[in-house]
Amino acid sequence: MKLRLAPQPLEWIDRKAAVTFEFEGQPVKGFKGDVITSALWAEGTKVLGRSFKYHRRRGVMSLANHDVNALFQAEDRPNVRGDVVTPENGMSLTAVNTFGSLANDKGALVELIGKFLPVGFYYKAFYSPKFLFPKWERLIREMAGLGKVDTSWTEERKPKRYRHCDVAVIGAGPSGMAAAIQAAKQGVDVCLIDENPHIGGSLDYQFVNESAQTLNRHYLKETIESTPNIHVITSAYVAGYYGDHWLSVNTEEGLIKLSAQSVVVATGVFEQPAVFRNNDLPGVMNASAAQRLMTRYAVAPCAESVVLTANAEGYRAALDLHQNGLVVKAIIDTGRTEGEWVEQAKQAGMVVYENAEMVEALGRKHLEGVIFKTNGMEKRLLCDGLLMSVGWAPAGAPLYQAGAKFGYNATVEQLLPVTLPEGVFACGRINGVYDIENRIKDGEQAGLAAALYMKGQALPEVEDYRATEAHSHPYPIWAHPKGKEFVDFDEDIQIKDLKGAIAQGFDNIELMKRFSTIGMGPSQGKHSNMNGIRMLAKLTGKTIDQTGSTTARPMFHPTPVSHLGGMRFRPERLTPIHPFHEEENACFMEAGNWLRPEYYPTEMTREASIQAEVQAVRNYVGLIDVSTLGKLDVFGRDAGELMDRLYTMRMSNMAIGASRYALMVDDSGVVIDDGVAIRYSDEHFYVTTTTSTSDSAYRLIQKKVIEWGLKVTVLNRTGQIGAMNLAGPNSRKILEQLCDIDLSTEAFPYLAMRQGKMLGLDVTLIRVGFVGELGYEIHTDSQSALTIWKALMSAGQAYGIKPFGVEAQRLLRLEKGHIIVGQDTDGLTNPFEANMPWAVHFKKPYFLGKPSLVRLKETKMRTLVGFELLSDNPSDQPLESNLVIEADEMIGRVTSIGRSATLKKVIGLAMISTDYSMANNVLSIKLTDGRFVKAKVVKTPFYDPEGLMQKPDETAEGDAA
């Protein structure tokens, strides 16, 4: 391995466990404990990715979980973070955001026209001429984005867990570990959270070669390990802080919702890069990144290095390079830093240049050297590594989210917390404390204060351990006439871009962020915000505090959707006939909380099985489980008045033993539910609702009963009653064998309801025609439902019976032009738009939504129409929600569509502008792939428009007694 170092004192890798994976088609060897970046770098691969906009070569920058140019595409997921994800044997990776390959990326040609793509160009270009916009849109979408999402991925759900503690400490560096120990000494339960797999933080990479810190390291780690009331959560980060000290902790196993009584934030600081020409070349990196490479993964960041520094930390990094036998050609100091590490570097023979005024990196594919000015003289050095240590920015997301206020401290040259909410404490470098001994003391006092706060005791006086000298350069930004000085590595934002944004009036920190997109990339400004703030302040003549800073909202760090979704917590309801569906190997679908058979796989394909079910209903007989329908009993003195007020049709004049369509709208006239109402007696109605609205309809009715002061009782009997629909030409023949009810046309006409016995069990039969055939809806108690179902299936064998599922039912009702609420309607649809004026009885004095419907009747802007597809090519069939386009404008959308084997054509429903709803009008439907297909508006129902099939031997329509 070309850059692998000798064993390090605290290395994370296991040299006895080798790992081999593939990158861009080439094998890569590493060790267990490596991250992808360290394994690649150890093999000499220094170009890890391409930049977002210009496709420039990029390498290691921070190695701290925000190297966005080291993102990789795996077989099963995009945007794998190379600086934190460990490789696995057999893993195959490619770089993201490339056209061709990482080595030969055709997207790099974009840089040649970079001057024509100024900041904000996407807001101003591509809109004229208008007819070209669709082409520009496709090109932009192809060029934009990072990894590719595979929509056929295997579903992954991670559990959400709950945890409680007295004190939560975020960050397990020296100050965080000290805070956790001190809080635990007060007898409270402590959770110590760190994003790394091991606790220690900078104590283990910045001070690994400081023998004076060995005792501190051993004491802190061993005490934490041996203290039972400290629970350590590693490889986890706090992605969000919420009210009452709730923390969203993202772990590899899923999300933890952590409730704490007080919180200590010891998250430290992000090292900030300097801004100069070619500062993004592979080989230019933060000094802390080089230290992490060496101490954690035993990988040399380079062979010959130059260190650019504005603080003592840069000298410590130079000493670490020297300790590992690596050449340090020079230390370029932007001032005159003093201290123990400075003296050690000089004693080691390192050349130090002070008062540097300008820096420029040299090279095309990677770093080859550096030019700088010092004391008026220009110097050039050859090197393959340029380490930057010019300043820090607080990792303050939890504090911002908690409501803390930050202010700029000119002594430390850093944003520091100036006010903290109750129960929230900060310590360590985020608090401006840089001396390692003081950081431990600062952590101890924060931990003590957090424990006393949660106990309700008085807090001690706070001692100030903040640094008395600057650890950040006040303006580490050096402009160059030829540009290429990158402020934001995510978005390829240069100095000229921010100057251009400010010159155009975007001189507010939030406006500059949104116009230039600085800080809006995957790293969320972790390396760019501070330099952006400094530039804005200087160019507008304001102080840092006057300029302000952006905030950090949850989720502060990328969080997988599987973690946010969590496991299934919603209930899963089964109908009383579910055992039969399982025996028949039904393919299930979710319908609200219910599992319903989508279809029964009796044929070779899904489509063939559904069509077989449809044909059975049309030609023979079919049976469907509709137990999921909402079922409400309404009884009492005012039952008729309640039904009149709830539904758009008059219900109080229904005859006993009759049924009627029941349509419900809300106060604004929007369709919210439909079903069937029947009348058992003068004071007793029974009404069904759609599956998905049973609970909401019941709540609304209960509310209205109270609001209107009616003498009515409403019972939700959805789970108590099973229901099934027997439909088809042979349905009466089967029922006659099993029940004691007279099923003759004269005794039991269409839309009638009858009660009786089936197999000695109580049943209610309703003659309805949702699927357009002679049909009977059978309602019985849930204990009897399966017995009756099996008897129907047994008796129906001689008549060609088949069970049918939801998909066949949807196609059958589509042939009849019947709507499904929530599919053919949306949150704005009224009955007139749904072509159901017949269901609205304005002669009633009042019903829910009537005032709105009176006005809506005259202002119908859109209409639900039926259509036939003019193409018979299966690839031309639109999907539900595909748009209907006219003159380049959207005039509607497809709500239902399917191929009807009965009619030998593709039919559908579409909600379109009323201007285009005339019969025989030709519509243009835009397919998902961008093509257009033609369809003709036709009258509905498509099948049996006279309704003869559902009313054989009958001519009368309407209610039946």
Side-chain angles (χ1 to χ4, degrees):
M1 297 182 180
K2 298 179 182 178
L3 294 175
R4 191 70 74 173
L5 296 172
Q8 301 294 298
L10 302 173
E11 66 184 24
W12 290 0
I13 58 174
D14 180 358
R15 294 176 184 260
K16 296 179 181 179
V19 175
T20 302
F21 63 101
E22 189 178 275
F23 177 62
E24 294 275 313
Q26 299 298 316
V28 180
K29 294 183 179 180
F31 295 120
K32 182 180 179 181
D34 263 321
V35 290
I36 296 167
T37 292
S38 64
L40 289 171
W41 203 267
E43 292 275 69
T45 302
K46 293 191 174 183
V47 179
L48 303 177
R50 294 279 183 163
S51 69
F52 178 72
K53 182 176 177 182
Y54 297 125
H55 291 249
R56 286 171 63 89
R57 295 174 176 85
R58 295 277 170 82
V60 170
M61 200 274 286
S62 72
L63 210 71
N65 209 358
H66 49 272
D67 277 5
V68 298
N69 299 129
L71 297 179
F72 304 107
Q73 179 79 38
E75 292 178 345
D76 58 342
R77 55 189 169 132
N79 301 333
V80 176
R81 291 176 168 255
D83 57 345
V84 290
V85 175
T86 57
E88 300 173 2
N89 279 315
M91 179 182 279
S92 179
L93 301 170
T94 56
V96 303
N97 200 41
T98 61
F99 293 88
S101 67
L102 179 60
N104 298 296
D105 180 14
K106 297 179 179 63
L109 296 173
V110 173
E111 191 170 14
L112 300 177
I113 59 171
K115 64 181 179 180
F116 301 111
L117 304 175
V119 65
F121 76 94
Y122 27 77
Y123 294 122
K124 305 172 184 178
F126 310 125
Y127 290 99
S128 181
K130 190 174 181 179
F131 73 89
L132 286 178
F133 179 73
K135 296 182 179 179
W136 285 120
E137 181 184 25
R138 285 194 293 273
L139 178 61
I140 293 169
R141 288 186 183 279
E142 182 67 25
M143 292 289 290
L146 297 169
K148 291 181 173 60
V149 176
D150 181 2
T151 56
S152 63
W153 70 76
T154 302
E155 181 180 292
E156 179 181 291
R157 290 180 178 270
K158 297 285 187 177
K160 290 181 182 177
R161 293 162 289 163
Y162 287 85
R163 189 174 184 86
H164 303 270
C165 67
D166 296 321
V167 176
V169 181
I170 310 174
S175 57
M177 290 189 291
I181 292 170
Q182 192 63 28
K185 285 182 179 179
Q186 313 310 310
V188 302
D189 292 325
V190 179
C191 277
L192 179 61
I193 307 157
D194 197 87
E195 65 179 323
N196 295 298
H198 308 281
I199 63 174
S202 61
L203 191 62
D204 283 3
Y205 68 81
Q206 195 175 56
F207 294 87
V208 68
N209 293 312
E210 287 285 322
S211 57
Q213 293 306 315
T214 301
L215 289 178
N216 275 333
R217 182 179 297 109
H218 287 166
Y219 165 74
L220 292 170
K221 290 189 175 184
E222 290 174 5
T223 303
I224 287 172
E225 186 176 353
S226 61
T227 303
N229 54 326
I230 298 178
H231 177 77
V232 179
I233 307 175
T234 53
S235 298
Y237 56 84
V238 175
Y241 177 101
Y242 302 89
D244 299 324
H245 309 314
W246 278 93
L247 304 178
S248 167
V249 183
N250 192 31
T251 73
E252 294 175 351
E253 292 77 31
L255 212 61
I256 298 175
K257 295 182 177 181
L258 177 64
S259 174
Q261 300 300 308
S262 61
V263 177
V264 177
V265 179
T267 45
V269 288
F270 300 123
E271 187 159 32
Q272 301 294 284
V275 180
F276 52 85
R277 179 168 170 78
N278 292 328
N279 62 333
D280 65 329
L281 284 173
V284 181
M285 69 182 73
N286 288 335
S288 57
Q291 290 173 305
R292 291 184 181 97
L293 268 175
M294 291 184 289
T295 59
R296 293 176 175 176
Y297 310 110
V299 175
C302 54
E304 296 182 321
S305 65
V306 170
V307 178
L308 171 65
T309 188
N311 50 41
E313 287 86 347
Y315 286 87
R316 178 65 263 175
L319 290 168
D320 290 337
L321 291 165
H322 181 72
Q323 180 89 9
N324 280 290
L326 303 174
V327 176
V328 180
K329 303 196 77 170
I331 299 174
I332 305 172
D333 196 329
T334 59
R336 293 178 60 88
T337 306
E338 298 179 352
E340 179 183 353
W341 288 339
V342 178
E343 295 306 315
Q344 290 181 26
K346 291 178 178 178
Q347 290 171 11
M350 298 181 195
V351 179
V352 177
Y353 295 98
E354 297 178 336
N355 301 315
E357 301 169 356
M358 182 278 295
V359 183
E360 176 186 353
L362 303 175
R364 192 173 70 86
K365 295 183 178 181
H366 54 79
L367 179 71
E368 297 174 3
V370 60
I371 297 176
F372 61 97
K373 287 183 180 179
T374 175
N375 297 320
M377 299 174 58
E378 183 173 290
K379 294 189 176 292
R380 179 188 298 253
L381 296 173
L382 299 180
C383 60
D384 65 338
L386 176 56
L387 279 55
M388 304 172 288
S389 184
V390 296
W392 312 88
L399 292 181
Y400 278 113
Q401 293 167 10
K405 303 296 182 185
F406 280 74
Y408 192 73
N409 185 297
T411 300
V412 187
E413 298 286 0
Q414 180 184 319
L415 286 168
L416 301 178
V418 292
T419 61
L420 294 172
E422 283 194 14
V424 177
F425 305 88
C427 61
R429 289 192 291 181
I430 193 175
N431 206 29
V433 182
Y434 278 83
D435 177 80
I436 185 64
E437 299 296 339
N438 286 340
R439 285 161 65 184
I440 294 172
K441 293 175 183 177
D442 198 41
E444 289 173 342
Q445 74 172 356
L448 175 61
L452 294 178
Y453 173 84
M454 67 80 46
K455 289 182 173 183
Q457 299 178 11
L459 304 185
E461 288 291 325
V462 176
E463 196 150 346
D464 187 0
Y465 295 109
R466 285 177 174 171
T468 55
E469 70 281 335
H471 283 257
S472 295
H473 193 289
Y475 198 77
I477 300 165
W478 292 277
H480 193 283
K482 295 183 179 180
K484 299 295 185 288
E485 328 93 326
F486 291 93
V487 184
D488 190 314
F489 292 75
D490 296 22
E491 303 287 304
D492 278 351
I493 303 298
Q494 305 173 52
I495 290 177
K496 68 175 184 178
D497 294 320
L498 295 187
K499 286 183 175 179
I502 295 167
Q504 294 179 70
F506 298 95
D507 54 2
N508 171 279
I509 186 65
E510 295 290 356
L511 292 178
M512 183 184 79
K513 172 182 176 179
R514 283 154 180 79
F515 184 73
S516 68
T517 69
I518 185 173
M520 293 177 66
S523 78
Q524 290 292 286
K526 296 178 179 69
H527 66 265
S528 61
N529 274 357
M530 196 63 234
N531 284 329
I533 293 168
R534 294 185 194 278
M535 280 193 62
L536 179 59
K538 182 173 183 178
L539 292 172
T540 57
K542 297 178 181 178
T543 65
I544 297 291
D545 282 339
Q546 289 171 334
T547 302
S549 60
T550 58
T551 188
R553 300 176 183 87
M555 295 290 179
F556 168 66
H557 204 65
T559 302
V561 175
S562 60
H563 290 40
L564 296 176
M567 302 297 287
R568 290 179 61 110
F569 284 116
R570 61 185 185 275
E572 188 176 82
R573 302 184 70 178
L574 307 178
T575 74
I577 307 168
H578 189 80
F580 173 88
H581 307 320
E582 286 189 320
E583 289 174 7
E584 296 297 313
N585 298 314
C587 293
F588 291 99
M589 61 175 287
E590 294 181 358
N593 292 330
W594 296 91
L595 277 186
R596 295 192 68 184
E598 181 186 17
Y599 69 97
Y600 300 85
T602 57
E603 306 297 328
M604 294 295 292
T605 65
R606 173 182 180 275
E607 290 72 21
S609 296
I610 294 169
Q611 290 295 345
E613 293 171 17
V614 170
Q615 291 305 305
V617 175
R618 289 282 179 246
N619 300 314
Y620 307 104
V621 64
L623 184 62
I624 184 172
D625 182 359
V626 293
S627 301
T628 61
L629 293 174
K631 308 172 198 75
L632 307 178
D633 258 330
V634 180
F635 53 90
R637 185 187 70 190
D638 297 328
E641 184 176 352
L642 175 65
M643 296 292 289
D644 275 350
R645 285 171 173 251
L646 288 173
Y647 295 100
T648 59
M649 298 180 75
R650 186 179 293 277
M651 298 293 181
S652 60
N653 65 350
M654 284 175 61
I656 295 172
S659 71
R660 186 169 291 174
Y661 179 67
L663 180 69
M664 183 185 291
V665 300
D666 63 14
D667 287 319
S668 63
V670 171
V671 174
I672 57 173
D673 186 41
D674 73 344
V676 174
I678 64 174
R679 193 166 197 172
Y680 283 125
S681 68
D682 288 340
E683 296 185 356
H684 186 184
F685 290 81
Y686 175 76
V687 62
T688 63
T689 75
T690 60
T691 296
S692 59
T693 63
S694 60
D695 291 338
S696 60
Y698 176 63
R699 287 193 298 268
L700 175 64
I701 294 172
Q702 291 281 56
K703 175 184 175 184
K704 291 302 180 182
V705 168
I706 297 171
E707 184 179 313
W708 293 330
L710 300 177
K711 299 295 183 181
V712 182
T713 298
V714 182
L715 296 181
N716 188 347
R717 303 194 64 194
T718 302
Q720 296 175 337
I721 296 177
M724 59 205 80
N725 189 2
L726 184 71
N730 295 330
S731 57
R732 184 182 292 162
K733 298 173 183 177
I734 298 171
L735 274 180
E736 287 174 338
Q737 303 176 42
L738 301 174
C739 72
D740 62 1
I741 299 172
D742 185 351
L743 302 179
S744 66
T745 299
E746 296 76 17
F748 198 167
Y750 181 58
L751 292 181
M753 176 278 293
R754 297 291 182 264
Q755 292 177 282
K757 298 282 187 179
M758 183 178 295
L759 305 176
L761 303 169
D762 291 330
V763 295
T764 295
L765 303 187
I766 314 169
R767 270 201 60 187
V768 292
F770 188 60
V771 298
E773 300 293 337
L774 174 65
Y776 299 86
E777 207 165 275
I778 305 166
H779 293 242
T780 186
D781 64 89
S782 57
Q783 290 82 4
S784 305
L786 184 58
T787 300
I788 291 174
W789 175 283
K790 288 183 176 180
L792 289 169
M793 288 298 302
S794 177
Q797 295 305 307
Y799 298 95
I801 194 170
K802 269 183 174 290
F804 65 103
V806 174
E807 284 302 316
Q809 182 193 46
R810 286 178 174 175
L811 191 53
L812 289 161
R813 66 86 203 178
L814 176 59
E815 293 175 344
K816 286 296 293 181
H818 293 154
I819 71 164
I820 296 177
V821 174
Q823 177 172 322
D824 299 301
T825 67
D826 56 30
L828 298 172
T829 306
N830 62 62
F832 307 113
E833 293 176 333
N835 262 342
M836 294 192 296
W838 50 267
V840 181
H841 292 181
F842 282 120
K843 291 183 179 181
K844 289 194 296 181
Y846 173 79
F847 61 86
L848 191 64
K850 179 180 177 181
S852 297
L853 290 180
V854 169
R855 292 167 175 79
L856 291 170
K857 182 179 181 180
E858 307 302 328
T859 58
K860 187 167 73 167
M861 303 294 293
R862 54 183 189 159
T863 303
L864 189 69
V865 300
F867 66 84
E868 296 176 358
L869 204 66
L870 298 182
S871 170
D872 201 38
N873 189 335
S875 66
D876 289 343
Q877 182 171 323
L879 301 176
E880 290 166 0
S881 292
N882 276 166
L883 301 181
V884 183
I885 306 294
E886 183 68 32
D888 293 331
E889 297 290 339
M890 185 189 79
I891 63 166
R893 64 181 178 86
V894 175
T895 63
S896 294
I897 193 166
R899 175 171 290 277
S900 168
T902 308
L903 304 172
K904 309 297 189 222
K905 63 180 72 172
V906 175
I907 58 174
L909 299 175
M911 184 67 75
I912 63 173
S913 171
T914 302
D915 294 340
Y916 300 92
S917 63
M918 299 77 69
N920 297 316
N921 186 44
V922 176
L923 306 175
S924 292
I925 302 174
K926 187 175 183 180
L927 303 180
T928 305
D929 61 10
R931 295 182 297 118
F932 285 85
V933 65
K934 299 294 184 181
K936 182 176 68 173
V937 176
V938 298
K939 291 182 178 181
T940 57
F942 304 96
Y943 170 77
D944 186 26
E946 292 81 19
L948 301 178
M949 303 306 296
Q950 59 198 21
K951 296 177 291 183
D953 305 322
E954 298 179 48
T955 56
E957 296 186 12
D959 296 342

